Amino acid sequence: MTASLPKPESLSKERLRLWLRMLRVTRQVEAALREKLRLEFDSTLPRFDVMAALFREREGLKMNELSKRLRVSNGNVTGIIDRLAEDGLVERIAIEGDRRATLVRLTADGRDAFTTMAAAHEDWVDALLDGVSAEDAHHIGELLHRLPADTGEQRQ
């Protein structure tokens, strides 16, 4: 027996159920990742996210660019950068000609630490989504690409 499609008038209800499922799974995976980062690396998910953004930009990023990429306030990023700098994982570099701006980038130790964390993170996600085949993962990813990427935009 094949699954029946929702009637047009119940489409909004089906989409609501989909959203709630996506939210539940996201929260469960995120909670597991937060716990694993805390236990295995004495780290946090926001710290991991900052390191990931800096890892992708080898030359570093201005603090305001980092905040924009992570969609968080400058204050939130500043606190994380302060702690990463104390740990020797990032360095701050003054930008010549702009006394207000600072460039931040991972140190060699920071790149090494992130590489180790990222490999563990990938393994954890793989284990958490163990019931999803490669084909299903690809298909779900393709379906999710149909959704608006920015909450401020509506698809035409």
Side-chain angles (χ1 to χ4, degrees):
M1 181 174 202
T2 62
S4 61
L5 294 175
K7 295 178 182 174
E9 63 270 10
S10 66
L11 181 57
S12 65
K13 296 289 187 205
E14 194 64 31
R15 287 177 173 159
L16 178 60
R17 282 189 288 277
L18 171 62
W19 163 242
L20 294 173
R21 278 186 218 116
M22 288 176 14
L23 187 59
R24 186 185 77 243
V25 169
T26 299
R27 286 181 176 165
Q28 289 171 340
V29 169
E30 186 174 300
L33 294 174
R34 285 180 189 278
E35 184 70 2
K36 288 183 175 295
L37 283 167
R38 185 182 68 77
L39 291 174
E40 295 194 28
F41 295 102
D42 192 28
S43 191
T44 64
L45 194 53
R47 182 176 164 118
F48 179 85
D49 290 341
V50 166
M51 292 178 76
L54 293 175
F55 188 83
R56 287 188 291 273
E57 297 294 334
R58 193 168 187 90
E59 297 304 311
L61 290 168
K62 289 182 182 179
M63 289 288 286
N64 64 338
E65 291 172 343
L66 182 57
S67 295
K68 284 179 188 172
R69 289 201 188 179
L70 298 174
R71 295 182 176 167
V72 297
S73 72
N74 286 337
N76 286 346
V77 169
T78 299
I80 294 168
I81 292 296
D82 287 345
R83 290 184 292 282
L84 288 168
E86 288 170 12
D87 294 342
L89 302 176
V90 299
E91 61 184 340
R92 289 183 169 99
I93 300 149
I95 297 174
E96 198 172 317
D98 189 349
R99 291 185 296 172
R100 296 182 307 157
T102 303
L103 189 75
V104 290
R105 69 177 170 212
L106 290 175
T107 62
D109 286 347
R111 293 189 74 74
D112 291 345
F114 180 75
T115 298
T116 301
M117 289 172 64
H121 180 269
E122 182 177 343
D123 289 344
W124 300 334
V125 170
D126 187 49
L128 288 165
L129 301 179
D130 187 48
V132 180
S133 70
E135 182 180 328
D136 286 345
H138 178 77
H139 183 66
I140 291 167
E142 290 295 316
L143 291 173
L144 290 174
H145 278 294
R146 295 182 190 173
L147 300 177
D150 185 342
T151 58
E153 295 179 16
Q154 294 293 321
R155 292 190 75 88
Q156 303 282 337

mmCIF file of all heavy atoms in Angstrom, residues 109-127:
data_model
loop_
_atom_site.group_PDB
_atom_site.id
_atom_site.type_symbol
_atom_site.label_atom_id
_atom_site.label_comp_id
_atom_site.label_asym_id
_atom_site.label_seq_id
_atom_site.Cartn_x
_atom_site.Cartn_y
_atom_site.Cartn_z
ATOM 1 N N ASP A 109 47.733 26.210 15.988
ATOM 2 C CA ASP A 109 47.107 25.351 17.002
ATOM 3 C C ASP A 109 45.595 25.327 16.843
ATOM 4 O O ASP A 109 44.960 24.287 17.025
ATOM 5 C CB ASP A 109 47.471 25.823 18.415
ATOM 6 C CG ASP A 109 48.899 25.503 18.803
ATOM 7 O OD1 ASP A 109 49.560 24.702 18.100
ATOM 8 O OD2 ASP A 109 49.362 26.050 19.828
ATOM 9 N N GLY A 110 45.025 26.480 16.502
ATOM 10 C CA GLY A 110 43.580 26.558 16.296
ATOM 11 C C GLY A 110 43.134 25.724 15.103
ATOM 12 O O GLY A 110 42.109 25.039 15.152
ATOM 13 N N ARG A 111 43.912 25.767 14.029
ATOM 14 C CA ARG A 111 43.577 24.964 12.841
ATOM 15 C C ARG A 111 43.668 23.475 13.174
ATOM 16 O O ARG A 111 42.813 22.689 12.770
ATOM 17 C CB ARG A 111 44.480 25.330 11.663
ATOM 18 C CG ARG A 111 44.236 26.752 11.150
ATOM 19 C CD ARG A 111 44.956 27.054 9.857
ATOM 20 N NE ARG A 111 44.321 26.398 8.720
ATOM 21 C CZ ARG A 111 43.164 26.768 8.161
ATOM 22 N NH1 ARG A 111 42.498 27.784 8.643
ATOM 23 N NH2 ARG A 111 42.686 26.132 7.121
ATOM 24 N N ASP A 112 44.705 23.086 13.922
ATOM 25 C CA ASP A 112 44.857 21.681 14.320
ATOM 26 C C ASP A 112 43.704 21.234 15.215
ATOM 27 O O ASP A 112 43.131 20.157 15.025
ATOM 28 C CB ASP A 112 46.187 21.461 15.044
ATOM 29 C CG ASP A 112 47.395 21.588 14.133
ATOM 30 O OD1 ASP A 112 47.227 21.556 12.887
ATOM 31 O OD2 ASP A 112 48.514 21.724 14.669
ATOM 32 N N ALA A 113 43.368 22.078 16.202
ATOM 33 C CA ALA A 113 42.275 21.740 17.124
ATOM 34 C C ALA A 113 40.959 21.614 16.368
ATOM 35 O O ALA A 113 40.185 20.672 16.596
ATOM 36 C CB ALA A 113 42.164 22.801 18.221
ATOM 37 N N PHE A 114 40.703 22.563 15.446
ATOM 38 C CA PHE A 114 39.451 22.494 14.703
ATOM 39 C C PHE A 114 39.412 21.264 13.804
ATOM 40 O O PHE A 114 38.365 20.630 13.680
ATOM 41 C CB PHE A 114 39.189 23.757 13.875
ATOM 42 C CG PHE A 114 37.893 23.639 13.134
ATOM 43 C CD1 PHE A 114 36.686 23.767 13.805
ATOM 44 C CD2 PHE A 114 37.871 23.315 11.787
ATOM 45 C CE1 PHE A 114 35.482 23.591 13.152
ATOM 46 C CE2 PHE A 114 36.672 23.137 11.119
ATOM 47 C CZ PHE A 114 35.474 23.279 11.804
ATOM 48 N N THR A 115 40.509 20.928 13.170
ATOM 49 C CA THR A 115 40.544 19.746 12.298
ATOM 50 C C THR A 115 40.146 18.502 13.081
ATOM 51 O O THR A 115 39.352 17.673 12.601
ATOM 52 C CB THR A 115 41.950 19.581 11.676
ATOM 53 O OG1 THR A 115 42.226 20.742 10.876
ATOM 54 C CG2 THR A 115 42.043 18.345 10.808
ATOM 55 N N THR A 116 40.648 18.372 14.294
ATOM 56 C CA THR A 116 40.308 17.229 15.149
ATOM 57 C C THR A 116 38.824 17.267 15.535
ATOM 58 O O THR A 116 38.124 16.249 15.448
ATOM 59 C CB THR A 116 41.185 17.238 16.420
ATOM 60 O OG1 THR A 116 42.557 17.179 16.020
ATOM 61 C CG2 THR A 116 40.863 16.062 17.317
ATOM 62 N N MET A 117 38.360 18.436 15.947
ATOM 63 C CA MET A 117 36.955 18.577 16.332
ATOM 64 C C MET A 117 36.021 18.313 15.151
ATOM 65 O O MET A 117 34.985 17.660 15.306
ATOM 66 C CB MET A 117 36.695 19.985 16.882
ATOM 67 C CG MET A 117 37.300 20.234 18.231
ATOM 68 S SD MET A 117 37.185 21.968 18.745
ATOM 69 C CE MET A 117 35.444 22.202 18.880
ATOM 70 N N ALA A 118 36.372 18.829 13.977
ATOM 71 C CA ALA A 118 35.514 18.668 12.799
ATOM 72 C C ALA A 118 35.399 17.203 12.389
ATOM 73 O O ALA A 118 34.319 16.752 11.986
ATOM 74 C CB ALA A 118 36.045 19.510 11.639
ATOM 75 N N ALA A 119 36.493 16.465 12.506
ATOM 76 C CA ALA A 119 36.443 15.030 12.170
ATOM 77 C C ALA A 119 35.521 14.299 13.139
ATOM 78 O O ALA A 119 34.706 13.456 12.724
ATOM 79 C CB ALA A 119 37.849 14.432 12.200
ATOM 80 N N ALA A 120 35.627 14.622 14.425
ATOM 81 C CA ALA A 120 34.745 13.999 15.420
ATOM 82 C C ALA A 120 33.295 14.406 15.164
ATOM 83 O O ALA A 120 32.388 13.566 15.214
ATOM 84 C CB ALA A 120 35.176 14.404 16.829
ATOM 85 N N HIS A 121 33.070 15.679 14.867
ATOM 86 C CA HIS A 121 31.735 16.195 14.578
ATOM 87 C C HIS A 121 31.103 15.437 13.407
ATOM 88 O O HIS A 121 29.940 15.034 13.468
ATOM 89 C CB HIS A 121 31.845 17.695 14.276
ATOM 90 C CG HIS A 121 30.563 18.371 13.965
ATOM 91 N ND1 HIS A 121 30.069 18.485 12.685
ATOM 92 C CD2 HIS A 121 29.665 18.987 14.769
ATOM 93 C CE1 HIS A 121 28.931 19.142 12.716
ATOM 94 N NE2 HIS A 121 28.657 19.465 13.966
ATOM 95 N N GLU A 122 31.875 15.233 12.358
ATOM 96 C CA GLU A 122 31.360 14.492 11.198
ATOM 97 C C GLU A 122 30.985 13.068 11.595
ATOM 98 O O GLU A 122 29.923 12.559 11.193
ATOM 99 C CB GLU A 122 32.394 14.480 10.078
ATOM 100 C CG GLU A 122 31.900 13.769 8.825
ATOM 101 C CD GLU A 122 32.884 13.808 7.684
ATOM 102 O OE1 GLU A 122 33.819 14.640 7.706
ATOM 103 O OE2 GLU A 122 32.715 13.004 6.743
ATOM 104 N N ASP A 123 31.827 12.426 12.390
ATOM 105 C CA ASP A 123 31.528 11.063 12.855
ATOM 106 C C ASP A 123 30.251 11.034 13.698
ATOM 107 O O ASP A 123 29.445 10.123 13.574
ATOM 108 C CB ASP A 123 32.696 10.499 13.661
ATOM 109 C CG ASP A 123 33.910 10.176 12.809
ATOM 110 O OD1 ASP A 123 33.780 10.094 11.559
ATOM 111 O OD2 ASP A 123 35.005 10.011 13.396
ATOM 112 N N TRP A 124 30.096 12.023 14.571
ATOM 113 C CA TRP A 124 28.903 12.062 15.424
ATOM 114 C C TRP A 124 27.636 12.244 14.600
ATOM 115 O O TRP A 124 26.639 11.565 14.830
ATOM 116 C CB TRP A 124 28.997 13.211 16.430
ATOM 117 C CG TRP A 124 30.153 13.138 17.364
ATOM 118 C CD1 TRP A 124 30.827 12.010 17.785
ATOM 119 C CD2 TRP A 124 30.808 14.234 17.988
ATOM 120 N NE1 TRP A 124 31.839 12.362 18.639
ATOM 121 C CE2 TRP A 124 31.859 13.723 18.786
ATOM 122 C CE3 TRP A 124 30.615 15.606 17.963
ATOM 123 C CZ2 TRP A 124 32.684 14.533 19.537
ATOM 124 C CZ3 TRP A 124 31.437 16.423 18.716
ATOM 125 C CH2 TRP A 124 32.460 15.884 19.492
ATOM 126 N N VAL A 125 27.677 13.159 13.638
ATOM 127 C CA VAL A 125 26.507 13.386 12.791
ATOM 128 C C VAL A 125 26.198 12.120 12.006
ATOM 129 O O VAL A 125 25.035 11.707 11.893
ATOM 130 C CB VAL A 125 26.710 14.603 11.843
ATOM 131 C CG1 VAL A 125 25.590 14.684 10.811
ATOM 132 C CG2 VAL A 125 26.794 15.892 12.656
ATOM 133 N N ASP A 126 27.236 11.482 11.492
ATOM 134 C CA ASP A 126 27.052 10.231 10.746
ATOM 135 C C ASP A 126 26.364 9.181 11.624
ATOM 136 O O ASP A 126 25.427 8.509 11.189
ATOM 137 C CB ASP A 126 28.409 9.727 10.252
ATOM 138 C CG ASP A 126 28.278 8.537 9.321
ATOM 139 O OD1 ASP A 126 27.464 8.592 8.377
ATOM 140 O OD2 ASP A 126 28.994 7.540 9.552
ATOM 141 N N ALA A 127 26.796 9.064 12.863
ATOM 142 C CA ALA A 127 26.196 8.084 13.776
ATOM 143 C C ALA A 127 24.765 8.474 14.146
ATOM 144 O O ALA A 127 23.876 7.610 14.216
ATOM 145 C CB ALA A 127 27.056 7.949 15.034
#
